[in-house]
Amino acid sequence: MSKTYKKIGTIKQFGDLWIITANNLIHNEKRSYRSVARQLDVDTKTVKKYANSSMNEKKTWFF
């Protein structure tokens, strides 16, 4: 019996933990974009986008 999946929608933004994990795999473990994309179950372009994004920018927290 084959499982079929229906795409419900798209993710607008990944969380900080996901971004940290992706950057760790790419920069510290020297893994390829394709390898990271397979592990995190996303498209290679998504990994490139977040790896090259400004993760090092200061976040402003309002309390």
Side-chain angles (χ1 to χ4, degrees), residues 7-53:
K7 187 173 181 178
I8 296 171
T10 59
I11 297 172
K12 301 297 181 193
Q13 182 177 4
F14 289 97
D16 289 338
L17 182 60
W18 187 93
I19 295 170
I20 291 168
T21 302
N23 281 320
N24 181 43
L25 291 171
I26 293 166
H27 300 295
N28 296 340
E29 295 186 19
K30 306 295 184 194
R31 304 256 313 265
S32 68
Y33 291 134
R34 186 174 291 172
S35 170
V36 174
R38 272 191 237 122
Q39 182 174 346
L40 298 177
D41 197 29
V42 295
D43 190 66
T44 306
K45 291 179 184 179
T46 304
V47 174
K48 286 181 183 181
K49 174 184 171 182
Y50 282 97
N52 295 328
S53 70

